[in-house]
Each structure stands twice: as structure tokens, then as C-alpha cells.
Amino acid sequence: MPYELYYWPSIQGRGEFIRLALEEAGAKYTDVARSSSGMPKMMRLMQDRGSTTPPYAPPFLKSGKLIIAQTANILLYLGPRLDLAPKVEGGRLWAHQLQLTIADFVKEAHDTHHPVSSGLYFEQQKKEAKQAAALFLKDRAPKYFGYFEHLLSRKGARYLIGARITYPDLSLFQIVAGMNYAFPNAMKKLMRTHPNVVALAGRVADRPRIKSYLASERRISFNEDGIFRHYPELDPT
Amino acid sequence: MPYELYYWPSIQGRGEFIRLALEEAGAKYTDVARSSSGMPKMMRLMQDRGSTTPPYAPPFLKSGKLIIAQTANILLYLGPRLDLAPKVEGGRLWAHQLQLTIADFVKEAHDTHHPVSSGLYFEQQKKEAKQAAALFLKDRAPKYFGYFEHLLSRKGARYLIGARITYPDLSLFQIVAGMNYAFPNAMKKLMRTHPNVVALAGRVADRPRIKSYLASERRISFNEDGIFRHYPELDPT
């Protein structure tokens, strides 16, 4: 039975981390909310008061009878099934730990344009966003990138966990792509100082199924409704 | 071999979610950084460039040869071992999904006092914090609490996952305790409108081992260095 992914149809957002895993594995899946009448179906599932495991928010995955929410949790489930996770428990926990650290980065990157509240428009918090983005780019992004750079500079570290690709590699590619979209100026320096992170992102982008996915219409373009938004005022030259 | 928990010694913070699970289970553990020479030991482990699974940040747990970081990941590992998680895969994913939703709440609650940046002092972002806290209390906290209230209002839901306690119950207790400390005024209303959440928190607090833990010196007091901070200006009457 194909997997059913439920996520907002017009953004990459958090759903993209799931899409990349499904695409890399060549798994059969439907991106439900992007099909006709998919959005009402997603909303019905979300509001189903009788569901035993209701999601707090998208993305969620339907796999047989299971409904699983929270991006990292979905990848925890999919990892072994898509052959994108280590086989032993210690390795799976390590992959999940990396994914949760990426999730923390994603939240911080998002909050640069919505520091005060996700309930206000960007224009209502632009001044604070400028300050938040500047500090994020100065302190936080280099700290996270430095962490991954260290992991990737270890001997034999073609991917984050040794020689084989796992799901956190796909997610690391995605945050590099997102940062390049949102902060092209700041990323010039970050890319120079983190060559192994850049090389990893390149290796992921070159994998045949990912390459084909990125060139397809299934890959939604970055835009200013997603996590990574390009607001020139947040990325001065 | 006893578990070794590594976390900042002077705050509840994210480490508290682990402490509560270990305490409820009556597990043997050392809270390493709170022992003499524990802090240097924690810093050495964190900065060990040779570690195969280095944490990005505390908390982390040492269990035999494994070093596991990220709060929810540690609970994923401990859950079955402490008999605080369902036995089947679907149940474990559901417990983890709830924990990750609680982690999202924790981050949002923290950011009320540091909306612009964790790298600035509260005093440098007090104006923004007032606005952030007001919107968090008006929109976000009720949305999360409403979600858990719905789960706990289902038939037979003595705990979040049916009749038996699991680790997300302990974490839900902790966020209720934290919110009562940080926002006593706003919580008066939230407690009234979410009676099942309040009852769950009470049931957890009344469990013999938790009761004894909360009364012990092992329970660090809430303070203004942690996640939940009481700043009267963020909780107007």
C-alpha cells in the first residue's frame, strides 16, 4: 500500500523532509493535499475527534492503519523501512538525534522572520526580524553548521553516519538549500567556512532520484509562505 | 550499571523531563553535573572531538557505551526500559509524537522571554517579550492545552495513553507546573478551561515516587535561568 503524506500543498515546509526521504528511496506515496479534493481530506483527518492518534499539526503520514505525526517521528518510522537508517539501535538513536538537532535549527531559521509571534505578519515584526536574523546568522547558524562540519570532517565520513546515506543527510541538504534561498549573502561566508557541509549537500543533490525529484514539478519552489523565506532586508550585503 | 544524566546543574530545564522519568521508574542514575567535579566531566564529554555520537547540547544520557542526546530521543530510549512506554511500535510512535509536541510547546514557552534571541538578555528584549508572551498566552498555550484536554477527555483516558502512565504524562505534568510558576495569573483561566489537563498533572504529582522526588533536594526549584521564568511584567493580572 502506498504511503499517504499529508502536508500543506503550497510550501516545502516541514513536509519536505519527508518528501526527500520518500523520493530518495523511490517509495510509492501520494502527496494527498496536492491532489484534487486532497485539502478537505486532510482537514477531515485532522479534525476527526474519533482518531486514536490525532496529529497536532501537519505533516502526518498514513501507513496502513497508522497515522504518525511530527516530522522527526515520521522519519524515525520510515528510516528503516526505506533503508535510510542504521540497522542497530545505537545507530538509529544517533540518526534520530541528528534529525532532532536539524529540527531545532529549522525552528530557529523560521523564527528569524517571525520572532515575536507566528500570529503576526512579517511586516508587523520586521524590525525585530532584522535583529533576530542578524544574531541568528552571526551566532546560531555557524554553531549548527560547525557541528555538522565537524561530523563530516571525520575520517570516512562520506555521509553523516559513515559511508551510507541516511535520512539526516537529506535533511541537512534541505537546510543548506533553504539557507541559500533565504540568505544568499550570508551563506557566501558560511559556505566558505563549512566546505564539508556544502560537499554533503552537493552529494545529496547529485543522487539520481533526488536530482530527478528536484527537477520535477513535485518539488515545490521556495516561497515566502514557507520556513525559509527570502526577505532582502534580513540578508544585507 | 546506573544511568548517567548530564545536564546543567542549576536549572530544571530540558533535563527535568528525563529526571522525572528516571524518578518515576525508581531507576538508578547519577545527575553527573550536580556532583563534585561533575561540570568539568560534562564539558569534557561534550568537547570530546573523538566521540562517535557527540551531543550538540545537554541533556545527554550515558547508558553503558551509548551516549544519547536530545530530550525526546533520550525518552524514546528510556521509555521501554523504564516501563514508561507502550509495548507495540504504533504505541511507541504515538508516545514519541506526544513528546515532540510537548517539546514544541517548551520551545515556544521559553521564547516568550527571549523572542528576539537567546543571545540577548531579557532586559534587552523586554518590550518584545511582553508582546510575545501575550500572544503565546492568548493563542498558542490554549491551542496546545486544548489538544491535550481533548485527548484526556476521551473515555478511559486516565493518562494520555489509556490506563497506564507513560513518559509524556510526566512531561505534561512538568509543563503545567512550569506554566503555573511562570504565568500564575494567566494559568488561572487556562486551568479552569482545561480541567482534565489539571487533573492529569495532579495524578502525576500524587504518584508516590514523584511526590517524594518533588519534596526532595533532587528537585531543583524553578528560577529565572530556566525555561519557565516568572517575570511579573509578562503575566499581568
Side-chain angles (χ1 to χ4, degrees), chain A residues 106-220:
Chain A
V106 166
K107 170 73 174 144
E108 290 194 38
H110 170 275
D111 288 357
T112 57
H113 49 76
H114 279 73
V116 177
S117 174
S118 54
L120 300 176
Y121 292 109
F122 169 63
E123 283 69 24
Q124 295 173 286
Q125 50 194 319
K126 201 193 280 192
K127 191 173 134 267
E128 294 84 355
K130 277 188 202 175
Q131 196 182 4
L135 287 162
F136 171 76
L137 293 167
K138 177 176 158 288
D139 297 327
R140 304 296 293 171
K143 191 175 170 199
Y144 282 102
F145 273 50
Y147 175 73
F148 293 113
E149 180 70 17
H150 163 63
L151 298 180
L152 290 165
S153 65
R154 300 189 293 185
K155 198 159 172 278
R158 187 168 167 76
Y159 290 101
L160 282 166
I161 307 182
R164 295 194 59 203
I165 193 164
T166 59
Y167 63 82
D169 293 306
L170 303 166
S171 296
L172 185 54
F173 154 78
Q174 176 65 11
I175 65 177
V176 171
M179 289 293 288
N180 269 321
Y181 174 78
F183 305 108
N185 292 320
M187 274 297 278
K188 272 181 211 150
K189 187 178 162 200
L190 275 171
M191 304 251 289
R192 209 162 47 228
T193 46
H194 300 87
N196 286 303
V197 170
V198 176
L200 181 279
R203 269 199 288 283
V204 169
D206 274 347
R207 292 182 68 88
R209 283 177 178 147
I210 294 294
K211 197 169 183 168
S212 144
Y213 167 63
L214 296 177
S216 76
E217 296 210 338
R218 298 193 301 287
R219 173 81 163 180
I220 300 163

Side-chain angles (χ1 to χ4, degrees), chain B:
Chain B
M1 202 180 324
Y3 295 109
E4 291 180 12
L5 171 65
Y6 291 82
Y7 193 63
W8 308 116
S10 58
I11 57 170
Q12 292 184 12
R14 287 180 171 80
E16 196 65 14
F17 300 98
I18 317 294
R19 292 189 188 108
L20 286 166
L22 292 165
E23 293 283 348
E24 166 62 24
K28 285 205 172 122
Y29 75 102
T30 43
D31 202 339
V32 180
R34 294 175 72 188
S35 62
S36 71
S37 78
M39 267 298 280
K41 192 175 173 193
M42 177 164 101
M43 298 318 284
R44 266 200 312 277
L45 261 180
M46 278 191 68
Q47 287 152 9
D48 176 9
R49 304 287 288 180
S51 163
T52 47
T53 60
Y56 179 77
F60 54 95
L61 184 82
K62 196 162 178 306
S63 171
K65 284 185 180 178
L66 287 179
I67 293 186
I68 307 160
Q70 284 281 352
T71 309
N73 196 38
I74 297 169
L75 290 168
L76 178 72
Y77 171 81
L78 286 176
R81 285 166 176 84
L82 303 181
D83 199 18
L84 286 171
K87 297 221 182 301
V88 297
E89 187 190 23
R92 288 201 190 166
L93 290 163
W94 173 229
H96 196 52
Q97 176 177 327
L98 292 171
Q99 191 63 40
L100 291 170
T101 302
I102 289 171
D104 288 343
F105 178 90
V106 166
K107 170 75 174 142
E108 291 194 38
H110 170 275
D111 287 357
T112 56
H113 49 77
H114 279 73
V116 176
S117 173
S118 53
L120 299 176
Y121 292 110
F122 169 62
E123 284 69 23
Q124 295 174 287
Q125 49 195 319
K126 201 193 277 191
K127 192 174 132 265
E128 294 84 356
K130 277 187 199 174
Q131 197 182 3
L135 287 162
F136 171 75
L137 293 168
K138 177 176 157 288
D139 297 328
R140 304 295 294 172
K143 192 177 168 198
Y144 281 103
F145 273 51
Y147 175 73
F148 292 113
E149 180 71 16
H150 163 62
L151 297 180
L152 289 165
S153 64
R154 301 189 293 185
K155 199 160 171 279
R158 184 165 168 79
Y159 290 102
L160 282 166
I161 308 182
R164 294 196 58 204
I165 193 164
T166 59
Y167 63 82
D169 293 306
L170 302 168
S171 296
L172 185 53
F173 154 77
Q174 176 64 10
I175 64 177
V176 171
M179 290 293 288
N180 269 322
Y181 173 77
F183 304 109
N185 291 321
M187 275 297 278
K188 273 180 209 150
K189 187 178 162 197
L190 275 170
M191 305 252 289
R192 209 163 47 231
T193 47
H194 300 88
N196 286 301
V197 170
V198 175
L200 180 280
R203 269 198 289 282
V204 169
D206 275 347
R207 292 182 68 89
R209 284 179 178 145
I210 295 294
K211 197 169 183 168
S212 145
Y213 167 64
L214 296 177
S216 77
E217 295 210 339
R218 298 193 302 288
R219 172 80 163 180
I220 299 163
S221 297
F222 284 108
N223 61 52
E224 280 56 57
D225 294 316
I227 292 164
F228 296 101
R229 307 186 187 184
H230 181 58
Y231 294 126
E233 51 270 68
L234 303 189
D235 183 41
T237 49

Side-chain angles (χ1 to χ4, degrees), chain A residues 24-109:
Chain A
E24 166 62 24
K28 285 207 172 122
Y29 75 101
T30 44
D31 202 339
V32 179
R34 294 175 73 187
S35 62
S36 71
S37 78
M39 268 297 281
K41 193 176 172 192
M42 177 164 101
M43 298 318 284
R44 266 200 311 277
L45 261 181
M46 279 192 65
Q47 288 152 8
D48 176 9
R49 305 286 288 182
S51 163
T52 48
T53 61
Y56 179 76
F60 55 95
L61 184 82
K62 198 163 177 302
S63 171
K65 284 185 179 177
L66 287 180
I67 293 185
I68 306 160
Q70 283 281 353
T71 308
N73 196 38
I74 297 169
L75 290 168
L76 177 74
Y77 172 81
L78 286 176
R81 285 167 174 83
L82 303 181
D83 199 17
L84 286 172
K87 298 221 182 301
V88 297
E89 187 190 23
R92 289 201 188 165
L93 289 163
W94 173 230
H96 196 52
Q97 176 177 326
L98 292 172
Q99 190 64 39
L100 290 171
T101 302
I102 289 172
D104 288 344
F105 178 90
V106 166
K107 170 73 174 144
E108 290 194 38

